[in-house]
Amino acid sequence: MSVAARLAPLEGAAISKQILTEAATWLMELHEGPLSQRQRAQLDEWRQRSAEHERAWQKATALMGKFDALSPSGAAALRTVSMRERRGAVKLVALLLVAGPAGWLACRNAPWPDAGRLRTATGERRDIVLDDGTQLTLNTDTHVDMSFDHARRMLHLRRGEILVTTARDSANVPRPFLVGVGEGAIRALGTRFAVRQLDGRSQVAVFEGAVELRPRDAPSIATVIPAGRQSAFSRARVEPSSEADETAIAWQHGMLIADRMPMAQFVAELNRYRRGTLRCDPAVAGLTVSGAFPLVDISLTLSLLEQTRPVKLRYVSRFWATVGPA
């Protein structure tokens, strides 16, 4: 049976995000360079797993053909991202595959990032001193837009994680310092704090001073989080606070500190700093990990993991690996 005949009955059916992400990962592998004979066989096996897999691949390759229709500046930006920020490129392709034609048009017509915005690539961290003296550290794969005017000092965290140490405003009328996230706004009350964007939630940990959280859909709910506490909030509510763990921001020094961290969580954290896709086999997800691990060399960290825990790293390709049983 031909590919077209096999796909026809399911042409309008939805494809799972997991399979679309896998298709995008394979696409980036091809974009990086020719596949080995073994990788080509693995790709063929992946495509033949189901009609859904084959449809995802057809959609992914069709999307790549549309990149030539981008404006010159947009195409150049996409090429730069795909080479420097592999995981971000995979997410972009997967997002466009899920969004469909409407999402593609929105992406095509949207402005590309300019030099005035603050960005880090996967695995990169940046320390920045803002015009008002505030110290800002961006973690891996983080996007921040700044909006300082006479009325307020505002950072918009589009994705990723930041550490902020606010400075006293020198303006005649001190301006509030705010961090905007998808779920609402965070107001600094003379403070040092970290913000991490999660799926549908933002997590805030306060180490000095205090912050005020206001959910977007319930602005009348203003919750103050003092030093030594942390909380997460959605668009509708603020979760109960808990003790803030300063080791959670060891990333600012290029380290990941784990204290009996479940293997699945540990691998997910490493995946944030590594180009490509790193997964955890459910068979080892419940193992715990303790220690201090370097984030500047994920290959070294994975080697240390294999030496200290009963696990083995299995590579599908340069950018796709799984931590499984030894």
Side-chain angles (χ1 to χ4, degrees), residues 30-323:
L30 281 173
H31 188 65
E32 179 71 14
L35 298 183
S36 67
Q37 185 175 359
R38 176 174 172 271
Q39 288 173 322
R40 174 62 67 179
Q42 289 173 325
L43 172 57
D44 290 342
E45 186 275 330
W46 178 87
R47 291 176 60 184
Q48 294 169 15
R49 287 182 189 176
S50 71
E52 188 177 15
H53 284 75
E54 180 60 29
R55 284 198 306 122
W57 181 247
Q58 296 296 332
K59 288 172 70 73
T61 53
L63 179 58
M64 280 298 290
K66 293 182 179 180
F67 285 166
D68 291 338
L70 283 167
S71 64
S73 62
L78 184 59
R79 285 195 298 270
T80 300
V81 167
S82 67
M83 289 298 293
R84 183 191 63 196
E85 210 171 337
R86 183 67 48 194
R87 190 170 61 145
V90 170
K91 287 183 177 179
L92 172 62
V93 174
L95 178 63
L96 293 176
L97 288 173
V98 174
W104 167 253
L105 289 174
C107 178
R108 180 177 176 178
N109 295 325
W112 288 87
D114 56 42
R117 296 176 179 177
L118 305 177
R119 301 289 187 264
T120 55
T122 299
E124 180 187 6
R125 289 173 299 282
R126 291 181 61 189
D127 293 312
I128 302 168
V129 178
L130 305 182
D131 291 343
D132 66 340
T134 291
Q135 298 175 33
L136 174 66
T137 303
L138 281 68
N139 198 3
T140 177
D141 192 22
T142 294
H143 289 193
V144 176
D145 295 334
M146 293 191 300
S147 177
F148 281 30
D149 57 29
H150 69 281
R152 65 182 184 178
R153 299 170 290 167
M154 184 95 183
L155 299 180
H156 297 270
L157 178 61
R158 304 302 185 186
R159 77 179 188 215
E161 184 174 18
I162 57 176
L163 177 64
V164 183
T165 303
T166 57
R168 184 181 297 275
D169 193 14
S170 60
N172 292 332
V173 179
R175 299 164 296 174
F177 191 100
L178 305 169
V179 176
V181 291
E183 293 70 40
I186 303 158
R187 176 169 179 160
L189 305 175
T191 185
R192 176 172 171 262
F193 64 105
V195 184
R196 179 173 174 178
Q197 186 74 66
L198 305 172
D199 290 335
R201 298 161 60 244
S202 285
Q203 182 174 289
V204 183
V206 184
F207 306 105
E208 297 176 13
V211 302
E212 179 185 81
L213 309 181
R214 286 185 180 270
R216 183 179 299 276
D217 294 342
S220 60
I221 300 177
T223 302
V224 175
I225 309 298
R229 306 293 293 178
Q230 66 181 19
S231 180
F233 70 109
S234 64
R235 294 173 64 99
R237 62 182 291 269
V238 177
E239 299 175 9
S241 68
S242 59
E243 184 177 357
D245 180 7
E246 187 128 10
T247 63
I249 56 171
W251 56 262
Q252 67 178 309
H253 304 300
M255 299 295 294
L256 171 62
I257 297 179
D259 181 12
R260 296 190 61 78
M261 183 182 291
M263 183 66 71
Q265 181 183 349
F266 183 78
V267 171
E269 285 297 307
L270 292 184
N271 191 43
R272 299 173 62 203
Y273 300 88
R274 178 184 180 275
R275 294 191 304 165
T277 299
L278 181 65
R279 294 213 175 97
C280 181
D281 189 315
V284 298
L287 294 176
T288 58
V289 181
S290 296
F293 299 86
L295 293 172
V296 293
D297 189 342
I298 299 301
S299 295
L300 173 59
T301 292
L302 291 171
S303 177
L304 291 172
L305 187 65
E306 288 184 303
Q307 295 173 36
T308 57
R309 305 299 292 143
V311 298
K312 183 175 179 58
L313 196 66
R314 294 175 172 84
Y315 286 92
V316 173
S317 69
R318 290 164 290 185
F319 303 112
W320 194 340
T322 299
V323 176

Side-chain angles (χ1 to χ4, degrees), residues 27 89 115:
L27 199 63

